[in-house]
Amino acid sequence: MQAAARARSNIALIKYWGKAPGQLNVPAVGSISVTLDALWSETRVEFDAALAQDRFELDGQQRSDQAARVFACLDILREQAGTELRAAIVSRNNFPTAAGLASSASGFAALVAAAARALDLSLTPRELSIVARRGSGSAARSIFGGIVEMHAGKRPDGTDSFAESLLDAAAWPLKIIVAVTSKHQKAVGSGPGMARSAQSSVYYPAWVESHAADMDLARQAIIDRDFTKLAEVSEASCLKMHAAAMAAQPPLVYMNGTTLEGIHLIRTMRDAGTPVFFTVDAGPQIKAVCEAQGSAAVQSALESLPGVLDVIVSELGPGIEAV
Ligand code: PMV
């Protein structure tokens, strides 16, 4: 009863920020993301009658801080399989954990894919996406490759809150350039940050209300491969999310000075004709999305930006894979 799986990280172009009421980790809004080939988690799950407790190891270390969420996600699959067997989970990331590179997305997607196989559950990708969502909202998207849409859903039981593929990785050869500006763990994680924004930001209701229109614009831009339209709506969604977070009490400022310099740099390059736009998640890293022909220039501009510590270049990648 063991299996291993690999899942890639993803970055949202149209952001998820805020949860629906209830305990099922249903997002308040949908989202659209790109799956990154270069950043992945690999997870092996082994159910074993000799184990009295679940065990979770990440990058060679027992991680008690994250174990509760991991075991809770496993419980959902154990219930579906009708077993109480405990498991040993060994996971590794090929990139630094919790530095704003969406390790929870790839981590929970790989966990769910491996555990479902180890339990011999034949779940569809959609069903895996629903279980992965319980671990982390963005993980629901990492089940799929290329460009992915997450549906917020309306049902209180969360059965219509899942991701699905919009476009295969090969259908639009975009490149994502991640500029790392800090290697510190963020002060406020996305879950508590969302809760604080929903409770106290005067801009949060406007964020939720205006979100569906951004989803529609982005979906159409993706269908049309209209890079300029996708650039405009993605940057707007990102800045709206940050505006809602900044207006929370106490305020949430995820960007640092280098993040802002990177945003200006990318917008200046686009004004001068390079097909590139930025996005920033709940952390200070800059993510530049480019069409292939502009990516070398964007990479070298970001590498030369003072305060940038590391640059990672990725193409769009596939969804979950058995290892
Ligand atoms: O999946 P979570 O709970 O880590 O939240 C992700 C939140 C953002 O990265 C800021 C946006 C997104 O849609 O990925």
Side-chain angles (χ1 to χ4, degrees):
M1 292 184 80
Q2 60 162 309
R6 179 183 285 199
R8 266 88 180 165
S9 177
N10 74 75
I11 287 170
L13 307 183
I14 304 301
K15 301 292 185 197
Y16 146 51
W17 193 250
K19 296 180 197 289
Q23 301 304 310
L24 297 171
N25 206 30
V26 172
V29 293
S31 50
I32 293 177
S33 61
V34 286
T35 302
L36 304 189
D37 195 46
L39 304 179
W40 45 257
S41 303
E42 225 172 71
T43 303
R44 171 169 295 280
V45 179
E46 182 170 6
F47 290 89
D48 183 348
L51 286 174
Q53 289 176 340
D54 288 326
R55 284 212 311 247
F56 174 53
E57 183 189 303
L58 177 59
D59 291 331
Q61 291 182 344
Q62 301 288 328
R63 292 293 297 260
S64 51
D65 53 329
Q66 296 180 12
R69 267 168 85 193
V70 169
F71 302 157
C73 207
L74 218 53
D75 283 341
I76 299 165
L77 293 169
R78 269 193 282 254
E79 197 186 322
Q80 293 188 16
T83 178
E84 305 223 313
L85 284 175
R86 302 291 108 180
I89 304 145
V90 178
S91 190
R92 73 185 175 100
N93 294 333
N94 77 331
F95 60 95
T97 302
L101 298 176
S103 58
S104 70
S106 53
F108 279 102
L111 169 77
V112 166
R117 250 180 7 104
L119 289 168
D120 229 356
L121 288 167
S122 41
L123 301 185
T124 62
R126 177 175 296 187
E127 288 166 333
L128 291 172
S129 170
I130 288 171
V131 181
R133 186 200 77 226
R134 299 282 293 276
S136 156
S138 54
R141 301 186 306 238
S142 273
I143 300 294
F144 301 93
I147 306 187
V148 178
E149 173 166 2
M150 174 76 193
H151 302 280
K154 291 194 173 71
R155 294 187 205 135
D157 66 359
T159 52
D160 58 352
S161 181
F162 53 79
E164 66 185 336
S165 164
L166 279 181
L167 215 60
D168 281 348
W172 198 0
L174 299 174
K175 281 208 172 160
I176 318 296
I177 300 170
V178 180
V180 177
T181 69
S182 165
K183 296 191 176 177
H184 297 297
Q185 198 146 346
K186 60 194 167 206
V188 183
S190 51
M194 289 178 198
R196 191 190 294 179
S197 304
Q199 278 156 16
S200 63
S201 172
V202 292
Y203 296 150
Y204 182 79
W207 155 256
V208 174
E209 230 162 82
S210 64
H211 196 275
D214 292 345
M215 291 288 288
D216 292 344
L217 281 173
R219 206 182 296 109
Q220 194 56 50
I222 289 160
I223 291 166
D224 298 341
R225 316 283 199 277
D226 187 331
F227 189 85
T228 304
K229 286 215 172 101
L230 185 60
E232 283 163 6
V233 70
S234 299
E235 290 186 351
S237 174
C238 167
L239 292 178
K240 271 200 272 183
M241 178 200 115
H242 284 273
M246 283 185 195
Q249 252 345 296
L252 294 159
V253 182
Y254 286 112
M255 298 183 193
N256 61 27
T258 309
T259 324
L260 276 175
E261 291 298 338
I263 287 175
H264 288 302
L265 171 77
I266 289 165
R267 296 189 68 205
T268 304
M269 289 187 84
R270 186 160 83 257
D271 285 346
T274 306
V276 59
F277 64 87
F278 69 82
T279 190
V280 179
D281 287 316
Q285 323 308 6
I286 307 154
K287 287 106 181 197
V289 181
C290 324
E291 287 197 292
Q293 76 265 29
S295 69
V298 175
Q299 181 181 348
S300 72
L302 283 170
E303 279 168 352
S304 311
L305 185 69
V308 168
L309 308 173
D310 253 333
V311 169
I312 302 163
V313 181
S314 182
E315 306 190 341
L316 301 195
I320 46 166
E321 295 170 324
V323 184

